[in-house]
Amino acid sequence: MTIKEKQQETVEAFAFLEDWEQKYEYIIDLGKELKGMPEDKKTDENLIKGCQSKVWIEGRFEDGKLFFNADSDGILPKGIVSLLVSIYSGHTTQEILDSDFSFIEEIGLQEFLSPSRANGLMAMTKQIKFYAVAYQLKS
């Protein structure tokens, strides 16, 4: 499945939810499904700057694709980072760089987050793009 298809699937999933309480519950459920990271990977290097909660994203390049592992000490940010990981993990660096994050606007996520959580979301998306640039330069 392409990144665009995964994004569209996410937009459709959110469209079925009637209000923001249901959408928050959905995001929290996504976080509960995230396997998380071992403690030794929760380093300052993997820590996302600008998040209200602690959020870690680790990228690894394998067989020409970038895979992400993530975790958070907050239940809502864990759900948000889980959503991003599910969409962008397992794709080439070029696919990630060619994609955008417009689906976030389509589901209305950013407008319902507090300003500090919205900043954290943007920091997560920047980190995913950063990994794509870094691994593209290495390959």
Side-chain angles (χ1 to χ4, degrees), residues 11-29:
V11 169
E12 289 169 9
F14 272 82
F16 282 110
L17 303 171
E18 294 180 18
D19 58 32
W20 269 99
E21 188 173 316
Q22 289 180 345
K23 292 178 184 188
Y24 280 131
E25 286 176 25
Y26 179 69
I27 292 168
I28 289 167
D29 287 343

Side-chain angles (χ1 to χ4, degrees), residues 72-89:
S72 176
D73 65 355
I75 194 158
L76 189 61
K78 189 171 185 173
I80 293 169
V81 78
S82 174
L83 178 66
L84 295 174
V85 165
S86 71
I87 290 173
Y88 294 95
S89 194

Side-chain angles (χ1 to χ4, degrees), residues 13-48:
F14 272 82
F16 282 110
L17 303 171
E18 294 180 18
D19 58 32
W20 269 99
E21 188 173 316
Q22 289 180 345
K23 292 178 184 188
Y24 280 131
E25 286 176 25
Y26 179 69
I27 292 168
I28 289 167
D29 287 343
L30 290 174
K32 290 176 183 175
E33 294 172 15
L34 186 66
K35 71 175 188 174
M37 296 173 80
E39 289 301 315
D40 66 328
K41 298 290 184 180
K42 294 180 182 179
T43 62
D44 284 345
E45 183 179 294
N46 293 330
L47 186 66
I48 304 301

Side-chain angles (χ1 to χ4, degrees), residues 70-128:
D71 206 347
S72 176
D73 65 355
I75 194 158
L76 189 61
K78 189 171 185 173
I80 293 169
V81 78
S82 174
L83 178 66
L84 295 174
V85 165
S86 71
I87 290 173
Y88 294 95
S89 194
H91 293 279
T92 67
T93 55
Q94 194 60 54
E95 288 171 325
I96 294 169
L97 292 173
D98 288 345
S99 70
D100 62 31
F101 294 93
S102 61
F103 78 99
I104 293 170
E105 289 177 30
E106 287 183 56
I107 63 177
L109 182 58
Q110 202 167 2
E111 67 190 66
F112 286 94
L113 295 175
S114 67
S116 60
R117 290 220 191 273
N119 287 339
L121 170 61
M122 295 319 299
M124 291 179 216
T125 60
K126 285 180 184 175
Q127 187 64 32
I128 287 170

Side-chain angles (χ1 to χ4, degrees), residues 59-73:
R60 74 180 192 290
F61 194 67
E62 193 175 294
D63 298 325
K65 295 184 178 178
L66 194 51
F67 295 88
F68 297 101
N69 192 12
D71 206 347
S72 176
D73 65 355

